[in-house]
Amino acid sequence: MELRQLRYFVAVAEELHFGRAAQRVHISGPALSQQIIAMERELGADLFVRDRRSVRLTEAGRTLLADARRILSLADDATARLQRAAARSTPVRLGYVSWLPDDITTLVGRAADLRVDDWVLPSHTQADRVAEGTLDIALAWVTAGQVEERGLSAHLLRAEPLHAVSPGVSSTEPVAAQRISVLVDADESAWSSWNRYAREFAADTGARVIAIDDGGITGDAFHAHVRRIGAAVLASPKRHTAALPPSLGERPVAEPVPLWTWSLLHRRDDDRAGVRGAVDALLAVARARAWPAPPAGPWWAPADDPHLR
């Protein structure tokens, strides 16, 4: 006997109806009936008493049912153990843009063998890499449309409030969104996600848009733009490699708080145990640390954000 035949037999024994059992095991009624007849011939005993109105187990069928359930349970347990072992031994490739939890491999733990990809690339590029299969999961900023177009699933891992940088010392005194400036860079290949976010934020809040063409969204060039503008400028979520100069300070933004959402992405049809384990582990940590929670006051996210609308 084969395992699939035992599954067919158990389905009929529990349903006591060939039609319902056939639906449960996803084969046709006649095919299921033939499989049961083949089992009975192989065993040399009738397993069911059939008439036009009912199906009943014979004494031989009742004896086999207990053994069949044990055998299938053992087979399912063995399959689950092998899948867990495979999940641990097959690396799950993770890409990111700028934010990455410091202890991410520890956070995932035994759920998966996590390998952080060395290529730190823009959000839209990392989303494309997940869709094409060169990454398994990624932390990136995406719109709902991008998620749908690429056949991805997006889970909110963190809602990050963005701050402003302005001349002077750092302060906890908020600056109103309508009083800040946002930089938009000419290089769409590198900054398309940020540009889209910044333009929509300005359109909704009245912030001032300033066009640049030197990649000064981050680093020393960003600090130079803040000094040139002489007013508060929204800082991108891209981590700055250059230290904040003494002449500049950070301030929170309010009315509303701009939120940048970090999505944990994977292919919608990817049901591998390692990917599921890594995603579940990271989402559990995010909930425990309240990363996805928006602030209490008024906040803003783009209209096509996949999480906060």
Side-chain angles (χ1 to χ4, degrees), residues 159-164 172 174-178 180 197 201 204-205 234-235 251-261 293-302 305 308-309:
E160 179 182 358
L162 301 185
H163 64 270
T172 58
V175 56
Q178 66 182 22
I180 66 175
Y197 181 97
F201 176 75
D204 287 349
T205 64
L234 187 64
R251 292 181 63 182
V253 180
E255 302 297 331
V257 178
L259 289 184
W260 182 272
T261 55
W299 49 264
W300 178 92
D305 186 276
L308 298 180
R309 292 295 183 183

Side-chain angles (χ1 to χ4, degrees), residues 265-281:
L265 305 174
H266 63 89
R267 290 182 297 284
R268 194 175 300 157
D269 59 355
D270 192 344
D271 60 354
R272 289 174 295 162
V275 172
R276 291 198 310 271
V279 169
D280 290 344

Side-chain angles (χ1 to χ4, degrees), residues 104-122:
I104 189 164
T105 53
T106 303
L107 298 180
V108 172
R110 295 183 177 182
D113 178 13
L114 191 67
R115 304 290 175 85
V116 178
D117 191 79
D118 292 332
W119 290 9
V120 180
L121 298 170

